[in-house]
Amino acid sequence: GAVVSQHPSRVICKSGTSVKIECRSLDFQATTMFWYRQFPKQSLMLMATSNEGSKATYEQGVEKDKFLINHASLTLSTLTVTSAHPEDSSFYICSARVPGLDQFFGPGTRLTVL
Amino acid sequence: AQKITQTQPGMFVQEKEAVTLDCTYDTSDQSYGLFWYKQPSSGEMIFLIYQGSYDEQNATEGRYSLNFQKARKSANLVISASQLGDSAMYFCAMSPGYSSASKIIFGSGTRLSIRP
């Protein structure tokens, strides 16, 4: 089946620094990828839709200047958390959907901001 | 706007018993898809089963079946013969379409615990 990878799996950073998370589709091309955030014991909340070659579409309430998304190729989307603060600590999950099939999720990135 | 509701925050079930996880949804779309995902403590999202809004038969995948009642807008997950490894969070989800650009929204989840 299709595989989506994320890197890093876990990151700890200081408050005020920026963190980049990569999402790759390993054996298929993904024109669209999705970024979710999951706080402890809560559900996945869609942050944005990443579109290859164009601007990302952000969900209401998500700051586009804080969560920068770049989808430069058909296999890679990146999420950069700029000037991270402790409240940004969360589990970030990306996914990609193959037409006609289900949505494939990456293993997630656990971000801890000190 | 689409909405997914899971009213059971937690459930305890004896091993080998069947369990039903409830899910209701709200949408004005005619074409949509319904999903169930399992999330163990590791955090990975594991796809379990899919039901299209135009599918007349309930979806089944091994021990998982989806009780789709379109008029009631419900899509309950039934796990037969539960196993200890079934203990996890379960999320019901919906997509307003079938294309790769159709986003998926999730319910709040149900934590299932299987007792030996």
Side-chain angles (χ1 to χ4, degrees), chain A residues 31-71:
Chain A
T31 55
T32 303
M33 292 184 176
F34 304 91
W35 286 97
Y36 294 85
R37 179 169 53 182
Q38 185 181 28
F39 291 109
K41 299 185 179 180
Q42 294 189 22
S43 184
L44 280 73
M45 299 300 296
L46 179 66
M47 298 175 66
T49 302
S50 172
N51 304 298
E52 189 270 333
S54 64
K55 292 182 179 180
T57 304
Y58 291 82
E59 295 298 303
Q60 191 172 11
V62 177
E63 300 174 59
K64 61 180 181 180
D65 294 330
K66 180 168 184 62
F67 300 100
L68 301 178
I69 292 174
N70 183 275
H71 195 153

Side-chain angles (χ1 to χ4, degrees), chain A residues 36 38 43 46 59 97 105, chain B residues 39 95 97 100 102-104 107:
Chain A
Y36 294 85
Q38 185 181 28
S43 184
L46 179 66
E59 295 298 303
R97 194 168 179 191
F105 287 85
Chain B
Q39 187 181 42
S95 171
S100 61
S102 298
K103 61 186 180 183
I104 292 180

